[in-house]
Amino acid sequence: FNAVAVDGHYAYLATNSGMNQLQILDLSTTPATLVSTKQIGGTPGVGNAIYYRNGYAYLGLTHNGSGAEFYIIDVHNPFSPGIIGSYIIGSSIDSVYIRDNTVYLTTNDNTQDMVTLDISNPSTPSLKIAYNATPGQSGFGYGRSEYLVGDTWYLGRTYISNAPEFSVIDDSTGTPTVTATKDIGPN
């Protein structure tokens, strides 16, 4: 699997499979028991990132040419997960983070390292912001990891030879502003 989220005695796995991108394990048994799988229809990519909150799994897939890469899956009943919403990003999703009614996604699109979606209506997620962490330098690096503290994003990106791989971004006004960067280098 590529990513895991845990709540109580269930683990939600984003799997490296194009057949069952979500697997749910019951951790209260030894060994853990597979209780269900969810296949995303069509020609989707593999499970790449996942976040769990309040009975929902937020699944990010790799880009596979067509269809959505982001899915909201109702897992209130872990034995019968059901897709309730999706969104086409147009690139692979590398991480998922949720705060309030906003999902923060890092992508492998070098013109939009981070995408935020409004998920106040889970059946119809809508775009809030598609953001390039190094304005004026699109075409370099991909969003890879993120962390949020208050209104500050910490964004890590893949190696970029001529731009910073780490950015600190203030989102207190709703318009992301880079406040600090660090060029980590190839190592």
Side-chain angles (χ1 to χ4, degrees), residues 109-131:
D109 181 338
N110 55 27
T111 63
Q112 58 179 16
D113 307 299
M114 186 172 280
V115 173
T116 62
L117 302 175
D118 180 341
I119 56 170
S120 55
N121 181 350
S123 63
T124 57
S126 60
L127 180 67
K128 289 177 80 171
I129 297 171
Y131 183 71

Side-chain angles (χ1 to χ4, degrees), residues 107-114 131-144 155-167 183:
T107 78
N108 74 347
D109 181 338
N110 55 27
T111 63
Q112 58 179 16
D113 307 299
M114 186 172 280
Y131 183 71
N132 180 9
T134 33
Q137 293 188 12
S138 65
F140 300 102
Y142 304 126
R144 185 68 185 133
L155 175 64
R157 301 184 316 144
T158 57
Y159 172 65
I160 311 162
S161 63
N162 62 347
E165 291 85 16
F166 179 72
S167 298
D183 187 349

Side-chain angles (χ1 to χ4, degrees), residues 13 24 33 39 62 74 92 95 133 141 154 165 170-171 177-178:
L13 308 177
I24 302 174
T33 307
Q39 180 176 359
T62 59
D74 185 339
S92 296
S95 69
Y154 298 91
E165 291 85 16
D170 177 26
D171 191 33
T177 305
V178 174

